[in-house]
Amino acid sequence: MSGPARTVEDFEAQVASLQAKRANLPKDLPKEDERIGLTDTGVFDQDIYSGGKGKFDGYNYSIASQDDDEDDDGGGVEQRPGQRQSYTAPVAFLNDVARGSDDYDPFAEHKKPTVAQRESEYQARRRAQMISPARVDFFADGGKTPEVGARGYAEIMREVALKGTEADFRKQMQEKAKDGTLKAVSQDTNGAAKAAAPKRKGRWDQTTDETPTAKTAKKPAAAFFAEASTPQHNPAWAETPGRKDPGSETPGNATPGARMWDPTPAHTTPGRDKMGAETPGHGAATPSASTRRNRWDETPRTDRGETPANAGWAETPRSVQPGDKIVSETPTPSASKRRSRWDETPGATPSMTPSATPSGAATPSMTPGSGATPSMSTPGAGATPSMMTPSGVTPVGQKAMAMATPSPAQMMAMTPEQMQAFRWEREIDERNRPLSDDELDAMFPPGYKILQPPAGYIPIRTPARKLTATPTPMIGGTPQGFYMQTETLDKSAKFVDNQPKGQNLPFLKPEDAQYFDKLLVDVDEEMLSPEELKERNIMKLLLKIKNGTPPMRKSALRRITDKAREFGAGPLFNQILPLLMSPTLEDQERHLLVKVIDRVLYKLDDLVRPYVHKILVVIEPLLIDEDYYARVEGREIISNLAKAAGLATMISTMRPDIDNIDEYVRNTTARAFAVVASALGIPSLLPFLKAVCRSKKSWQARHTGIKIVQQIAILMGCAILPHLRALVEIIEHGLVDEQQKVRTITALALAALAEAATPYGIESFDSVLKPLWKGIRTHRGKGLAAFLKAIGYLIPLMDAEYANYYTREVMLILIREFQSPDEEMKKIVLKVVKQCCSTDGVEAQYIKDDILPPFFKHFWNHRMALDRRNYRQLVDTTVEIANRVGASEIINRLVDDLKDENEQYRKMVMESIEKIMGGLGASDVDSRLEEQLIDGILYAFQEQTTEDVVMLNGFGTIVNSLGKRVKPYLPQICGTILWRLNNKSAKVRQQAADLISRIAVVMKTCQEEKLMGHLGVVLYEYLGEEYPEVLGSILGALKAIVNVIGMTKMTPPIKDLLPRLTPILKNRHEKVQENCIDLVGRIADRGPEYVSAREWMRICFELLELLKAHKKAIRRATVNTFGYIAKAIGPHDVLATLLNNLKVQERQNRVCTTVAIAIVAETCSPFTVLPGLMNEYRVPELNVQNGVLKSLSFLFEYIGEMGKDYIYAVTPLLEDALMDRDLVHRQTACAAIKHMALGVFGFGCEDALIHLMNFVWPNVFETSPHLVQAFMDAVEGMRVALGPIKVLQYVLQGLYHPARKVRDVYWKVYNQLYIGGQDALVAGFPRIPNDTKNSYARYELDYVL
């Protein structure tokens, strides 16, 4: 057949010929997957090409122990199974290709993750909650009657009841739909024809006064518009109030396939949406899920003679991608194809009878021709616009998407993809618009002129490709997806302005625009109304808090707190809460906004009552956040909220959510109630809990009530003990509830109560033991697991003989459940076994005989090692059993598994043995078991593929437990270590070095100095290691050897080792720094004589750099090393270096230097340091003088009572500092005086201290917080050294001063005196003579013995 196929027949002929050719192919050709690749070698060519391709090449030989393979530190490529031994691309290139997918983001790991990104699907349900409108505060204005329309408790409870009933009906309908008994109910009025409209209505949907007249039947589309305006009486189960009736919207927005119980529009969640709260038509209704399709669920389809792009209004719209030419709909495949004459477009003629044209198009007077696209242009006067809207209204919605101008309602009906396409096209148009003459003049230098275009030139204009041509302002509602109109006043602008107008405001992030868009417009604030100005000010402060610098944030936070009552609760929460619900919020931003709420709550106090529910909707999700600090913040806010709003408001606000149909709402509400109980006290909540837990109307309420008790126990711990009996009585009936879920949560609540009460309170649980006991015999699955958990926590509370009896009874059921495949059940069974075995009354022999055989049979297998939580629980339970039956009993059963082929399982065995031997030692390990252990741990250590700390810890613990008994095996162990130290993998080398530091002490015990010397030399040779983690471990191993072997016997000698360490001090890696400085410090302490003074000075200069380290341990080790070096080579050179370092700018460096100076003074006696230090104070530089004062402060703190010899020497210097204008001088001098006073107490230095006190006291009125604290500390020191009465004499002069600010400070000092020395003050109080009424004289003071 010549030429390409053009018709269907041609294609079919081509296909037939290809199939015939394939059928005639020879049968012995290799299959597709058996053929040899171009660069592969075949199975049969092995002996020639040594290709290494075996029959099973490419298969995995074992199942991986973990799903995610851990990469090497070196960043090498994973070895692919069956790699070819022929030429191939470089490994690094293959690695890049593997990662180079389209969605690979190279900066992914550097991005700050938002809260929404790390949320689970369950946690993400918080974003579907609606922030409900404010509620009535019944306590406001002295409890006056609220207005008629106000939303109170009764209205909200009615809405919740309505939702609950609606959910029940939905459930019933779904069940009926499953078994095929669901029937549509039609209402036949006066024998009229039954409604056959595309949207079928059940009788619940009919309004009571609706009579389908001939007119409505004949004009269905017009009827849609009429319905909205007709006032109707709602029957009992009509559409939810506040929501538009189906059909009251424009046809383009009509909900496709809406049915009786369609949910309220998007954004509303059961229980959170309240009456009249929603924006009508805000979002589309969610079609109810039904497992089995029936025809009532299908979208109605209208068959009109339209172009495919403009199918019926009831069709499902398809999403539009940016590249699409036109927005059209895809017909729903399941749509009904039946045609009804009611579906046809009525004519524009006044005649009542519709003209049924055979083509199914509209009346001939409406459209130019059958099936043609209706004319876009508006016809002349008197004609109707030729779209499918007989009422003459502008076309909208999906219909209008193919036209030029999108209307508001169409924007509403756009999918997010269509919105994106719309915005994208607008942006492209904006970028590609022709430049105006003015813009061109601005761009080009003078001298250019505009040429005329050629005669035949026609610019390309293709409006047909447009999605939309001119944007229409959106009046009809909010689009789905954020959309902001940008002001195009300045046509030359090439960027989006994200700088808010106003003084010193931070930049807006793109996602912030929807919340702070008003700040982008420059307005005259004097023209704004008070409400608008308030809103703008709050917005500015919130933007500073969210995006500002720390100082900006601090001042804004203080300002918003101070002005909270002025702003008012409503305006504040209306802006803060939507921000907290934002999906793009980061952890830090959320933390700051929660902080704002916390501060504002404190100020608003009871004004917050109407907004309690709003705040709870936003804060409750924090209680189930994975971040511990977020949970703490959430608890703190709800606690403060409860204290501000009071118990009555909290209960009336949260009561409707207790039996909400959404489990998420019930869960978070239960946790919030537990926080309220901890804030306001359990007794205040008990009556309410009792009522809720006995609710007869809904099992959800009972379930949530019992969950509240469980959460109270988890949250408050042993604080529940006084109320334990009351809490148990409230929930005990739940064990025999008819609902399985209630029985399960009751058992879990009892477990939580018992855990919190441990080891007390068994008598409170007497009433529940019998039902629990009965329960474990009658339940299976999750119910049984919960009951077992409760009994597991109760047995440890019992007396020994009872515990023994109950353990034996429950063990029969536990052993039966050992073989349960359910992971959750396994965890609980293991936990209960652990609790039973740890109880006093259980004998070791019983455990050995009855529990151990089935326990090891069912639990010690590979599968348990794969699940992390099971692994943890199994190890803990095994260790607990070993504590009862002895170490050797368990280790004998486990030791052979150290050679198991599964690595994860070997780790689990190693961890168990490590914990058993760490706790019980190796006393009952015989020589045979000892050999097996060493053999097993060596095998496991060498065979590991991923270097893990478990093996390292296990090896170290076992060797240390065996002690001297390891001596025969040490050569073999050291051989393994040396071989692994030479491994090409950095992690293997690191682990080998770490192991040396673990076993160095044992080697010393076994007197293997020679072996250790050899290891020391090898480690010394490896000091050139390039990987910092490995180098850190090598230094740690050297340090361990130096510690145990001593300086004299160390090989290599210290004089060779230390110069090799000096350059390593420059390494910036924390692990290297810490280990290196520790090693240098140890040498300086124990063997300084092996190294020249010049080398120590060199090290001093290197140490100064280490004072900048972030890690405190490094800085501490460094300043201590200065002390050791000073001791070794004398303080003068070291002191000169340190004093010189006081001149640097960096504060941390200076502070560490002052500490080092103090340590040098302590080590080498203060008289060697003080002259140089005091001389340095003469340098007229702020930093140096402050450094000297700080050094004196640390110095007197360290030398203590030695200070009595130096106090008179430093007094003039401190006098000068206390008279300085600089606050920091006085603050540091006060700190020095505190330490000095405390050191010299009782050594007769009172004269100098009183002299200094006269310089300290004038600082009493300072306002700087740091100076105030330093002053109070100095006064406290003086109280100790001089006695309270001497300080009281200073205080009495101002206690009754007429100025309040003066009195406040003096009373603060007096209160501190009173706390510190109340009894000693008695003698110092002024003498007041007795009067007629009172006796003031203290005769006891006048007694003379």
Side-chain angles (χ1 to χ4, degrees), residues 1101-1113:
F1101 288 117
E1102 296 295 345
L1103 290 180
L1104 291 176
E1105 285 300 304
L1106 288 177
L1107 291 175
K1108 297 176 186 170
H1110 293 296
K1111 200 170 181 183
K1112 191 176 179 182

Side-chain angles (χ1 to χ4, degrees), residues 197-471:
K199 181 184 184 307
R200 299 178 180 274
K201 286 190 177 186
R203 61 193 180 90
W204 296 112
D205 293 315
Q206 289 276 43
T207 42
T208 47
D209 56 352
E210 185 175 278
T211 315
T213 58
K215 185 175 179 183
T216 21
K218 282 168 188 167
K219 299 190 74 169
F224 269 96
F225 293 95
E227 269 177 37
S229 56
T230 317
Q232 295 165 347
H233 160 69
N234 280 341
W237 302 116
E239 300 294 333
T240 317
R243 168 189 169 189
K244 280 196 174 184
D245 289 350
S248 65
E249 302 151 15
T250 41
N253 259 351
T255 311
R259 302 193 302 148
M260 303 191 183
W261 292 120
D262 266 354
T264 350
H267 283 242
T268 60
T269 300
R272 297 284 189 202
D273 48 350
K274 308 299 175 205
M275 220 180 246
E278 313 85 45
T279 319
H282 194 69
T286 321
S288 89
S290 167
T291 42
R292 201 186 121 188
R293 238 214 198 93
N294 69 51
R295 65 198 182 90
W296 307 109
D297 294 340
E298 291 171 4
T299 317
R301 157 107 185 158
T302 55
D303 249 354
R304 301 178 185 166
E306 301 161 18
T307 43
N310 284 318
W313 56 263
E315 312 287 63
T316 317
R318 76 173 174 88
S319 63
V320 174
Q321 301 306 325
D324 287 2
K325 303 288 182 226
I326 200 159
V327 180
S328 59
E329 298 108 353
T330 32
T332 313
S334 63
S336 163
K337 295 285 178 195
R338 284 190 312 157
R339 201 88 135 274
S340 160
R341 63 195 184 94
W342 304 113
D343 295 340
E344 292 161 14
T345 316
T349 49
S351 160
M352 292 299 285
T353 46
S355 57
T357 39
S359 68
T363 326
S365 64
M366 289 282 291
T367 42
S370 168
T373 313
S375 160
M376 294 275 286
S377 60
T378 315
T384 352
S386 54
M387 258 323 249
M388 279 54 73
T389 41
S391 54
V393 181
T394 315
V396 289
Q398 304 291 352
K399 214 40 159 184
M401 293 287 262
M403 297 170 62
T405 312
S407 70
Q410 167 196 336
M411 291 290 193
M412 247 168 76
M414 277 189 186
T415 61
E417 291 88 351
Q418 291 166 345
M419 282 298 305
Q420 183 62 32
F422 175 69
R423 285 206 296 272
W424 176 78
E425 189 168 290
R426 277 195 56 202
E427 188 183 339
I428 292 299
D429 286 351
E430 179 63 28
R431 288 184 189 177
N432 294 344
R433 66 182 171 75
L435 295 170
S436 67
D437 288 351
D438 294 339
E439 287 169 331
L440 288 167
D441 288 343
M443 259 186 232
F444 293 115
Y448 285 89
K449 64 175 183 175
I450 300 172
L451 296 175
Q452 291 299 320
Y457 172 71
I458 301 169
I460 299 171
R461 297 272 186 267
T462 52
R465 282 214 306 266
K466 301 275 185 221
L467 169 67
T468 50
T470 47

Side-chain angles (χ1 to χ4, degrees), residues 960 996-1006 1012 1040 1044:
N960 280 296
I996 294 175
S997 53
R998 302 283 169 102
I999 64 168
V1001 178
V1002 179
M1003 292 172 83
K1004 168 74 171 159
T1005 314
C1006 298
M1012 286 170 80
V1044 296

Side-chain angles (χ1 to χ4, degrees), residues 813-869:
I813 288 158
L814 285 173
I815 289 170
R816 182 192 77 204
E817 291 300 323
F818 277 2
Q819 49 203 327
S820 162
D822 181 27
E823 299 295 325
E824 203 57 43
M825 177 63 95
K826 279 182 178 170
K827 272 193 272 293
I828 286 172
V829 166
L830 282 168
K831 180 79 175 163
V832 178
V833 169
K834 179 188 171 191
Q835 287 163 322
C836 291
C837 292
S838 61
T839 311
D840 288 339
V842 184
E843 299 107 352
Q845 197 55 46
Y846 168 69
I847 297 175
K848 277 184 195 174
D849 298 344
D850 292 22
I851 300 177
L852 282 188
F855 176 77
F856 274 92
K857 180 184 171 189
H858 291 111
F859 285 123
W860 276 96
N861 53 45
H862 292 178
R863 187 172 170 194
M864 291 296 284
L866 298 180
D867 181 7
R868 190 73 200 154
R869 283 169 64 197

